[in-house]
C-alpha cells in the first residue's frame, strides 16, 4: 500500500471517528431530554471535530474566519439556545466547510449553495458509503451480499415450514408462544436518532463539492435587462416624486408637527395603518432605483435622472423615518412586543439599503458590492437579535412605561415566560393596589417556578437563565411573597376566575 493511498484512507477514518464521537455526545446530551445549554456544548464539540479533521479548513483564512464565527454562535447557544442562534451557527459552520473549495462570490449565490448543502446531506453520506464499498478489498466471508444469497433459501424455507407446523401442531405453537423476544422499540429509536445526528454532521466533514456549483457563477449571469428610455425614466421619476411629496407633506403636518387630525381619525389609527404599507412602498421604490441606476445604463449616465433619483431616495428615507415614528407612536399608545422590535430593525435595514443604493450609484460600485454589503448589514442585525433577549427588552420597557399597571398587557408578559421574570418582580415591588399586586405576584411566582424547574435539570440548564434566576432571588430575598390561593383558578393575566353560576332547579310538578 503506497503513502498516497494510505493518507486518504487515514483521513476518512479520522472523519468517521469524529462523526461517531459526535453521535455519542448527542446521545449523552439530547436523547430523551429537553436541550438547554447542552445544545451549545454540542455545537462547540461539532466545531472542534470539524477543525481537527479538516486541515484544509485551517489553511484557508476565509474558512477559518467562518469557523471562529461558528464558535461564537456556539457560545451564544450555551448562553441561551434559540432557533436563530442555531441557524446562524449552522450557516457559519457550513460556510467554513465549503470555503476551502469554493469562492464566495455573492451572498445570493452563497445562500443557494448553503441551501443545496443542507438539502443534499443524506446524499453525501450515502455516496460515501457506496464509494467505500467500491474501494474496499475483497476478503473471505466479507461479502455480505454473497452470504445472504447462501442463507436466504434455508432461512426463508425453514421459517415457512415452522410457521405451518406451529399452526397445525398445538405443542409447537405453544412452544413458540412461550418465547419472549426482547423489546426492540428502544433500539429502533436509538438507531433513528443516531442516523439523524450522523446525517446532520457528516456533510460538514465531507461536503459534496461536485453538487454545489450554483454559487461559482455570478448571480446575475442571465440576459441583461433592456435599458429604459430616458424620457420614460424622467417622467416616471417626476411623477413618483410628486406623489411621494404629498404623502411626506401629510406626515410632516400631522405626524411630525403634532397638528390635530381630522375628526374620526386618531393618532394611533393614523400611525398603525401606515407603517407597514409605507415600508412596502419604499421597497418597491428601491427596486425601481436599482433598475434605473444600474452601472452602464442610460439612467446612470443621465445627470437629470441621477438628480431625480437622489431626490426620490431622500423622500423614501423620509418615508422610512415616518414609518419608524408611526411605529414608536403606536408602541407608546399600546405596548412594545418582540414583533414590533423586529419591525423597527427591518425599517432601519430598509433605510440602510436605500443609502447603499445611492452610494453604489455615486461611487460606481458593482452589483456584487451592493448585494454583499446589504447581506452584511442584515447578518449584523440578525447576530445582534440572537444575542439580545428581545422578550426581556419588551417586558422591561412595558413595565417601566406602564401607567400604574392599568394599560399593561399581563397576558403578554405571561407568554414571555422566563424573559418576563425580572420585569414582573420589579412590577410586583411597586404595584399600586392590592388587586394588581395579587395578579402580578401570581404571574411572577409561576414564572419563577417554571424557571427553577428548568434549571434543576442539567440538560435544560442555560447560562442566561442561571443569571436571571440569581438576580430574581437577590431581589426577592429569602421570604418571597406567595400568591393568594383561589378556588377556581386564574386566567392568563393572573385574575381569579369567578365562581361558577349556581345551577337552577326546575319546578317540581
Amino acid at each position: 500500500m503506497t503513502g498516497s493511498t494510505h493518507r486518504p484512507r487515514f483521513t476518512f477514518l479520522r472523519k468517521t471517528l469524529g462523526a461517531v464521537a459526535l453521535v455519542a455526545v448527542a446521545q449523552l446530551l439530547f436523547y430523551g431530554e429537553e436541550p438547554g445549554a447542552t445544545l451549545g456544548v454540542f455545537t462547540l464539540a461539532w466545531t472542534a471535530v470539524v477543525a481537527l479533521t479538516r486541515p484544509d479548513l485551517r489553511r484557508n483564512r476565509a474558512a477559518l474566519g467562518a469557523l471562529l464565527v461558528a464558535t461564537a454562535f456556539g457560545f451564544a447557544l450555551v448562553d441561551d439556545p434559540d432557533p436563530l442562534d442555531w441557524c446562524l451557527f449552522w450557516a457559519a459552520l457550513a460556510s467554513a466547510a465549503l470555503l476551502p473549495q469554493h469562492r464566495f462570490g455573492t451572498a445570493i449565490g452563497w445562500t443557494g449553495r448553503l441551501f443545496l448543502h443542507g438539502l443534499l446531506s443524506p446524499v453525501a453520506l450515502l455516496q460515501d458509503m457506496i464509494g467505500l464499498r467500491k474501494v474496499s478489498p475483497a476478503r473471505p466471508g466479507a461479502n455480505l451480499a454473497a452470504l445472504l444469497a447462501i442463507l436466504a433459501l434455508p432461512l426463508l424455507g425453514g421459517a415457512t415450514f415452522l410457521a405451518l407446523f406451529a399452526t397445525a401442531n398445538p405443542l409447537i405453537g405453544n412452544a413458540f408462544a412461550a418465547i419472549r423476544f426482547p423489546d426492540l422499540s428502544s433500539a429502533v429509536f436509538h438507531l433513528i436518532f443516531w442516523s439523524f445526528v450522523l446525517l446532520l454532521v457528516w456533510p460538514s466533514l465531507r461536503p459534496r463539492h461536485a453538487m454545489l456549483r450554483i454559487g461559482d457563477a455570478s448571480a446575475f449571469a442571465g440576459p441583461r435587462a433592456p435599458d429604459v428610455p430616458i424620457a420614460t425614466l424622467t417622467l416616471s421619476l417626476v411623477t413618483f416624486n410628486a406623489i411621494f411629496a404629498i404623502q411626506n407633506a401629510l406626515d410632516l403636518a400631522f405626524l411630525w408637527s403634532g397638528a390635530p387630525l381630522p375628526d374620526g381619525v386618531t393618532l394611533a389609527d393614523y400611525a398603525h395603518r401606515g407603517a407597514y404599507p409605507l415600508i412596502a412602498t419604499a421597497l418597491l421604490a428601491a427596486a425601481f432605483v436599482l433598475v434605473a441606476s444600474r452601472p452602464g445604463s442610460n439612467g446612470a449616465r443621465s445627470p437629470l435622472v441621477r438628480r431625480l433619483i437622489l431626490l426620490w431616495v431622500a423622500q423614501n428615507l423620509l418615508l422610512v423615518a415616518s414609518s419608524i415614528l408611526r411605529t414608536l407612536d403606536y408602541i407608546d399608545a399600546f405596548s412594545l412586543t418582540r414583533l414590533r422590535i423586529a419591525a423597527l430593525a427591518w425599517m432601519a435595514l430598509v433605510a440602510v439599503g436605500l443609502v447603499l443604493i445611492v452610494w453604489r450609484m455615486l461611487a460606481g460600485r458593482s452589483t456584487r458590492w451592493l448585494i454583499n454589503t446589504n447581506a452584511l448589514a442584515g447578518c449584523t442585525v440578525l447576530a445582534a437579535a440572537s444575542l439580545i433577549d428581545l422578550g426581556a427588552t419588551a417586558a422591561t420597557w412595558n413595565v417601566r412605561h406602564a401607567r400604574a399597571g392599568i394599560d399593561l398587557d399581563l397576558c403578554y408578559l405571561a407568554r414571555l415566560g422566563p424573559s418576563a421574570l425580572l420585569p414582573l418582580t420589579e412590577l410586583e415591588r411597586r404595584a399600586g393596589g392590592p388587586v394588581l399586586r395579587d395578579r402580578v405576584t401570581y404571574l411572577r411566582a409561576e414564572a419563577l417556578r417554571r424557571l427553577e424547574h428548568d434549571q434543576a435539570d442539567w440538560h435544560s440548564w442555560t447560562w442566561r437563565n442561571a443569571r436571571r434566576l440569581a438576580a430574581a432571588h437577590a431581589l426577592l430575598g429569602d421570604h418571597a411573597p406567595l400568591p393568594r390561593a383561589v378556588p377556581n383558578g386564574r386566567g392568563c393575566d393572573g385574575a381569579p376566575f369567578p365562581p361558577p353560576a349556581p345551577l337552577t332547579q326546575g319546578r317540581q310538578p
Side-chain angles (χ1 to χ4, degrees):
M1 180 181 294
T2 65
S4 59
T5 58
H6 174 74
R7 183 174 181 82
R9 289 185 181 177
F10 174 74
T11 303
F12 184 84
L13 177 61
R14 182 172 56 187
K15 294 177 179 179
T16 303
L17 292 177
V20 172
L22 288 175
V23 171
V25 171
Q27 170 71 25
L28 173 66
L29 298 178
F30 302 134
Y31 189 80
E33 303 291 345
E34 182 179 354
T38 51
L39 187 60
V41 174
F42 176 77
T43 59
L44 293 175
W46 187 1
T47 305
V49 168
V50 172
L52 292 174
T53 59
R54 294 281 306 275
D56 60 329
L57 187 149
R58 300 194 298 271
R59 292 190 295 266
N60 186 284
R61 294 182 62 182
L64 190 59
L67 194 68
L68 293 176
V69 173
T71 304
F73 284 119
F75 281 108
L77 285 165
V78 172
D79 182 57
D80 186 51
D82 182 83
L84 179 58
D85 289 330
W86 170 261
C87 292
L88 293 174
F89 161 79
W90 182 88
L93 188 65
S95 297
L98 297 175
L99 278 170
Q101 286 82 19
H102 297 277
R103 182 170 173 267
F104 181 82
T106 66
I108 294 178
W110 194 257
T111 302
R113 178 180 287 123
L114 290 179
F115 176 77
L116 280 182
H117 177 72
L119 188 65
L120 299 176
S121 296
V123 179
L125 181 59
L126 291 176
Q127 284 195 337
D128 282 332
M129 292 175 65
I130 295 173
L132 183 63
R133 171 169 171 74
K134 289 181 178 179
V135 300
S136 298
R139 295 185 179 91
N143 195 326
L144 183 59
L147 181 62
L148 290 178
I150 295 173
L151 298 178
L153 182 59
L155 289 177
L156 292 177
T160 302
F161 289 128
L162 281 176
L164 292 174
F165 287 144
T167 304
N169 191 326
L171 296 179
I172 299 178
N174 293 335
F176 277 113
I179 298 176
R180 293 293 180 263
F181 293 96
D183 185 9
L184 299 179
S185 59
S186 177
V188 171
F189 287 128
H190 276 84
L191 287 175
I192 294 174
F193 177 78
W194 297 341
S195 301
F196 173 78
V197 176
L198 189 59
L199 290 174
L200 178 67
V201 302
W202 188 253
S204 61
L205 303 176
R206 285 181 56 85
R208 311 309 300 174
H209 305 299
M211 299 182 180
L212 303 173
R213 302 184 183 276
I214 183 172
D216 291 334
S218 172
F220 298 93
R224 184 181 178 87
D227 280 344
V228 182
I230 295 294
T232 302
L233 286 175
T234 304
L235 289 175
S236 299
L237 288 169
V238 169
T239 303
F240 297 160
N241 273 295
I243 295 173
F244 274 57
I246 296 173
Q247 174 63 42
N248 285 324
L250 292 174
D251 282 343
L252 290 173
F254 297 109
L255 194 63
W256 293 90
S257 68
L261 290 164
D263 293 338
V265 180
T266 65
L267 181 60
D269 292 337
Y270 185 81
H272 187 249
R273 286 187 59 184
Y276 302 116
L278 290 182
I279 288 297
T281 303
L283 289 173
L284 290 175
F288 180 85
V289 171
L290 279 175
V291 175
S293 64
R294 69 180 184 273
S297 65
N298 294 330
R301 292 190 296 265
S302 171
L304 177 60
V305 170
R306 288 164 64 94
R307 294 190 187 97
L308 290 173
I309 287 176
L310 289 176
L311 176 60
W312 197 31
V313 170
Q315 292 209 73
N316 275 278
L317 289 174
L318 179 58
L319 203 68
V320 174
S322 297
S323 299
I324 294 175
L325 183 60
R326 289 167 185 264
T327 305
L328 292 176
D329 288 340
Y330 192 78
I331 289 170
D332 186 62
F334 294 95
S335 63
L336 182 64
T337 64
R338 285 180 290 195
L339 183 60
R340 288 165 192 159
I341 296 175
L344 289 172
W346 170 245
M347 294 174 191
L349 278 178
V350 172
V352 170
L354 289 169
V355 172
L356 290 175
I357 289 174
V358 173
W359 191 356
R360 171 223 188 188
M361 182 183 70
L362 297 178
R365 298 283 187 172
S366 64
T367 302
R368 174 180 296 178
W369 175 88
L370 181 63
I371 292 173
N372 290 342
T373 50
N374 275 280
L376 179 61
C379 290
T380 302
V381 172
L382 289 176
S386 69
L387 299 176
I388 299 172
D389 190 344
L390 300 182
T393 302
T396 301
W397 192 95
N398 291 335
V399 167
R400 292 180 180 176
H401 291 79
R403 291 181 287 272
I406 298 174
D407 56 349
L408 194 59
D409 188 353
L410 294 178
C411 285
Y412 180 71
L413 294 181
R415 290 196 299 270
L416 291 176
S419 297
L421 175 59
L422 295 181
L424 284 172
T425 305
E426 178 186 345
L427 180 62
E428 180 186 11
R429 298 176 66 185
R430 62 180 181 87
V435 175
L436 177 62
R437 184 178 295 108
D438 174 68
R439 294 164 63 182
V440 174
T441 299
Y442 169 76
L443 296 179
R444 187 268 309 157
E446 284 295 302
L448 182 64
R449 180 186 60 80
R450 291 196 298 268
L451 185 58
E452 289 176 338
H453 177 269
D454 292 339
Q455 291 296 100
D457 186 357
W458 68 272
H459 291 92
S460 57
W461 181 92
T462 67
W463 191 10
R464 179 178 295 177
N465 280 338
R467 300 194 304 270
R468 181 178 286 137
L469 188 59
H473 284 157
L475 289 173
L476 294 170
D478 296 331
H479 304 287
L482 297 177
R484 176 173 57 91
V486 293
N488 302 302
R490 296 176 182 262
C492 64
D493 59 351
F497 287 128
L503 298 176
T504 57
Q505 296 182 354
R507 297 177 63 182
Q508 298 294 331

